[in-house]
Amino acid sequence: MNKTKYWIGRAVKNIILAFFSILCVFPLIWVVIAATNSSVDIVRGVLTFGSHLAENYQTLISKYDLWGATWNTVKYSAVTTIVAMIVCSIAGYGFEVYHDKVKDKLFGVLMLTMMIPFVATMLPIYQTYAKFGLLNTTLGFILPSVSTVFLIMLFRQNSRNFPMDIIEAARIDGETELGIFFKMYVPTMKATYAAGATITFMNAWNNYMWARLIMSDNSAQTLRMLISNMTTGHYIDYGMLMLAVLISTLPTLIVFFALQKSFVEGMTGAVKG
Amino acid sequence: MKLTMKKRENLTGWAFLTPAVLLIIIMNFVPLFQALIMSFETGRTGKMTFTGLSNYTRILEDSRAADALKVTLEYVVITVPIIIGLALILAVLLNDPKLKLKGIYRTCIFVPAAVSMVASAVIFRSLFAADGFVNSVLINLGILDTGYNFLGHPTSARIILMVVRVWKMVGYQMIFFLAGLQSIDAGIYEAAKIDGATSLQQFFHITIPMLKPTMLFALVMSVNAAIQVYDESVNLTNGGPGNATMPIAHYIYNMAFGGVPNFGYACALSMIILVVVGILTMLQMRVGDKRE
């Protein structure tokens, strides 16, 4: 009796998980299939791989500057991620290792920024950019997202696991504060860096509102803007569109799968708090 | 000697913080203050004049702004509980060492998180288009005679707008919950089992309380993200049909950069979102703290 109950429980669990797995994956499988079919076949509801991949690709690159947009997106996201990791990890370390009352209070004030919606600040930033010539620039893209409380918090929380004794010992050995940070802290915090970099890279790569606002030049466009533009016409070439969606999504998929394990590890430290 | 050491360390600490703190101030607090000032002004960029509360009184008479706010709140109130509830259930189901296909399930459910909102919206727009995949399947199955324009009808368009977010965010939240669950000591469950607690009792009396900090964080983040919904509405329906799927962030953007750009009015509207987000965050923090 108990055994049948156990097996029914098992089966129900697997059915629920399989059901949601399929729901989540199906639209993406459909994208992959659609990218290989002609628009006419996609509309007809074909669910098998077609032979139009090369044709879709030709249409795509003849109509849109796919690789230009890809390069821009790579550039903006990579620079954002690198700068954010440096700025936020050193700040998170600073807030934790040298913490005192004033710094703790300051952190509390910074936490308030989590409540500030970006739509409330984007218009003044846009105006300032227009004044200082920061529109259509990489610097302009990265500035609002390289220092976030979320990332500083991630590093601050994870710094708690970093033993103070080691820092004291290194100081006695005459190591500089910056040396301790770069030589000892950075190498031991790989998982945290992986988690932070994954999130930052994905957010930057997938950013749309901000890019659309400040990147008005065709040569500064991102992949998200390119895809969005493809749907504005009257006739939509679904094959080409889905190929573009696929190409623009692959990098984030690769980054995530490459860093999946350390992502979860780094996040665990942060949410445990 | 010791004091100077301490002092030097303290200064180093400040040096480490300064770049990040300055950036946050320049990119958050300063523009917020500027937006507040602009919300009391009207006119074109560079020639704005102070007109007091005129933008705010205009909001009260703007039925489209009220509609946009309603669409947004409805969207938040429906999507966030579904996302968090589903994510929690799936995380609990997955947090089972005896589950054979665990890795595959987890990967499948998480994958949409790596897809951008724009791409997600475009995928669902294609799937649910009048001549799209879903309609052809329904016609082939004999359920429909002709394609139903899902995105052309207010209710179905709003539902699909919500489906996009749920689809994309469930796996993302699930990863956080899974991480939280893995940090709960398995011994607690063992002890509860010995005391005869059912799985449901374990869920409500161990899992939920232990996950509370994670859930509170997830809730605040999800609400703040959903309230600013923009990418999806632009790329799924462009706010239509009519204004049926026009959330407030989208409306603000259109006010600021539409036919007659009006930064002052857009800033006043954004102050409304700020207040709503602030109130909601405070409420959640308070409710979250009370049960301690």
Side-chain angles (χ1 to χ4, degrees):
Chain A
M1 181 60 201
N2 241 337
K3 208 152 191 195
T4 27
K5 214 172 143 190
Y6 172 81
W7 284 111
I8 290 170
R10 286 271 84 169
V12 170
K13 208 178 222 186
N14 275 289
I15 289 168
I16 296 173
L17 287 169
F19 174 74
F20 280 102
S21 299
I22 292 167
L23 272 189
C24 286
V25 165
F26 175 75
L28 293 172
I29 293 176
W30 182 77
V31 169
V32 176
I33 291 172
T36 67
N37 278 301
S38 69
S39 204
V40 183
D41 283 338
I42 295 163
V43 168
R44 267 182 31 221
V46 166
L47 266 185
T48 49
F49 286 101
S51 54
H52 277 75
L53 183 63
E55 209 181 307
N56 288 335
Y57 179 72
Q58 282 306 328
T59 326
L60 181 60
I61 55 165
S62 68
K63 282 191 182 161
Y64 297 93
D65 184 14
L66 176 74
W67 296 112
T70 305
W71 164 242
N72 287 335
T73 316
V74 169
K75 187 172 64 183
Y76 304 151
S77 321
V79 176
T80 304
T81 309
I82 294 166
V83 178
M85 286 307 106
I86 298 169
V87 169
C88 294
S89 69
I90 205 161
Y93 177 83
F95 269 116
E96 184 57 32
V97 173
Y98 308 97
H99 78 101
D100 54 33
K101 261 193 192 144
V102 187
K103 293 193 189 84
D104 288 350
K105 275 240 168 72
L106 176 65
F107 190 76
V109 174
L110 296 185
M111 287 277 282
L112 290 177
T113 57
M114 279 195 164
M115 287 201 274
I116 303 177
F118 189 61
V119 278
T121 53
M122 69 177 186
L123 297 177
I125 298 178
Y126 173 82
Q127 284 196 327
T128 311
Y129 275 24
K131 227 182 273 167
F132 292 100
L134 283 165
L135 296 175
N136 295 303
T137 62
T138 306
L139 182 65
F141 181 90
I142 71 164
L143 278 179
S145 47
V146 284
S147 179
T148 67
V149 181
F150 177 80
L151 278 179
I152 297 174
M153 199 163 74
L154 179 76
F155 284 103
R156 182 175 178 248
Q157 305 284 60
N158 280 301
S159 298
R160 292 206 178 134
N161 307 329
F162 190 70
M164 276 306 274
D165 310 356
I166 293 186
I167 298 174
E168 291 298 341
R171 276 180 191 150
I172 291 164
D173 287 347
E175 187 63 82
T176 62
E177 299 294 316
L178 214 56
I180 297 172
F181 175 77
F182 279 110
K183 285 186 215 151
M184 305 171 93
Y185 177 84
V186 174
T188 50
M189 289 291 158
K190 275 195 196 116
T192 313
Y193 279 98
T198 310
I199 290 193
T200 312
F201 184 83
M202 279 192 186
N203 284 342
W205 185 274
N206 292 334
N207 180 298
Y208 174 65
M209 195 197 228
W210 182 232
R212 187 184 180 202
L213 184 61
I214 65 162
M215 302 298 181
S216 50
D217 282 358
N218 268 331
S219 60
Q221 290 214 336
T222 66
L223 282 169
R224 296 294 154 236
M225 297 161 76
L226 194 84
I227 288 172
S228 181
N229 289 345
M230 287 179 191
T231 61
T232 48
H234 208 66
Y235 166 78
I236 298 172
D237 184 338
Y238 288 113
M240 177 195 79
L241 178 62
M242 289 307 138
L243 182 62
V245 166
L246 183 64
I247 293 173
S248 70
T249 305
L250 278 178
T252 46
L253 282 177
I254 293 168
V255 166
F256 174 71
F257 285 117
L259 300 176
Q260 189 179 22
K261 236 189 143 174
S262 15
F263 174 77
V264 176
E265 238 174 79
M267 274 301 154
T268 323
V271 292
K272 249 194 305 194
Chain B
M1 182 65 196
K2 201 149 196 180
L3 197 84
T4 47
M5 251 299 252
K6 268 263 156 305
K7 235 181 188 165
R8 255 184 60 183
E9 273 172 31
N10 190 27
L11 276 179
T12 316
W14 281 109
F16 282 6
L17 306 182
T18 308
V21 173
L22 274 183
L23 271 166
I24 289 183
I25 292 171
I26 295 170
M27 285 292 140
N28 290 279
F29 293 115
V30 172
L32 187 67
F33 183 67
Q34 289 173 312
L36 182 68
I37 292 172
M38 269 158 68
S39 75
F40 297 111
E41 297 175 338
T42 43
R44 291 178 146 269
T45 314
K47 286 181 227 140
M48 304 217 0
T49 48
F50 181 82
T51 49
L53 289 170
S54 72
N55 286 321
Y56 290 96
T57 48
R58 184 177 158 192
I59 294 178
L60 295 176
E61 289 153 14
D62 185 351
S63 68
R64 289 174 74 183
D67 286 345
L69 204 58
K70 219 181 93 192
V71 167
T72 313
L73 290 179
E74 190 184 75
Y75 182 80
V76 173
V77 168
I78 296 175
T79 56
V80 172
I82 294 179
I83 292 169
I84 295 199
L86 265 182
L88 186 62
I89 292 169
L90 292 172
V92 170
L93 290 179
L94 271 180
N95 191 34
D96 174 353
K98 279 179 276 177
L99 200 66
K100 281 213 182 78
L101 301 171
K102 191 175 167 177
I104 295 176
Y105 291 143
R106 191 187 57 206
T107 306
C108 287
I109 296 170
F110 183 82
V111 158
V115 183
S116 74
M117 274 298 181
V118 174
S120 309
V122 168
I123 294 169
F124 278 81
R125 178 180 166 148
S126 311
L127 282 171
F128 285 96
D131 61 354
F133 176 77
V134 172
N135 271 316
S136 7
V137 170
L138 292 176
I139 293 169
N140 287 343
L141 290 174
I143 296 169
L144 286 180
D145 288 331
T146 53
Y148 182 76
N149 192 357
F150 286 100
L151 299 171
H153 292 83
T155 309
S156 51
R158 279 188 200 140
I159 292 173
I160 294 168
L161 190 69
M162 292 173 188
V163 168
V164 175
R165 178 166 291 261
V166 172
W167 177 74
K168 182 179 149 55
M169 296 307 289
V170 163
Y172 184 73
Q173 286 306 338
M174 186 188 75
I175 293 285
F176 284 86
F177 290 147
L178 214 49
L181 285 173
Q182 275 156 8
S183 64
I184 300 177
D185 184 3
I188 303 177
Y189 289 104
E190 290 302 324
K193 252 184 232 163
I194 291 166
D195 289 343
T198 63
S199 341
L200 221 56
Q201 280 171 329
Q202 288 174 32
F203 177 75
F204 284 109
H205 295 289
I206 303 173
T207 311
I208 297 269
M210 295 290 271
L211 273 188
K212 229 188 64 187
T214 316
M215 282 172 69
L216 188 64
F217 185 69
L219 190 67
V220 173
M221 296 296 271
S222 315
V223 168
N224 290 4
I227 232 169
Q228 299 184 59
V229 47
Y230 171 82
D231 298 7
E232 301 100 296
S233 68
V234 170
N235 291 293
L236 188 76
T237 55
N238 201 13
N243 273 334
T245 56
M246 172 85 71
I248 192 80
H250 192 168
Y251 186 64
I252 292 175
Y253 197 99
N254 286 358
M255 280 291 130
F257 298 99
V260 192
N262 192 339
F263 271 41
Y265 187 54
C267 282
L269 284 167
S270 70
M271 288 300 122
I272 304 286
I273 301 201
L274 177 74
V275 171
V276 173
V277 171
I279 291 173
L280 285 178
T281 309
M282 243 115 71
L283 269 179
Q284 292 169 71
M285 293 293 187
R286 181 146 300 174
V287 172
D289 277 343
K290 244 183 199 157
R291 291 195 201 124
E292 289 286 354

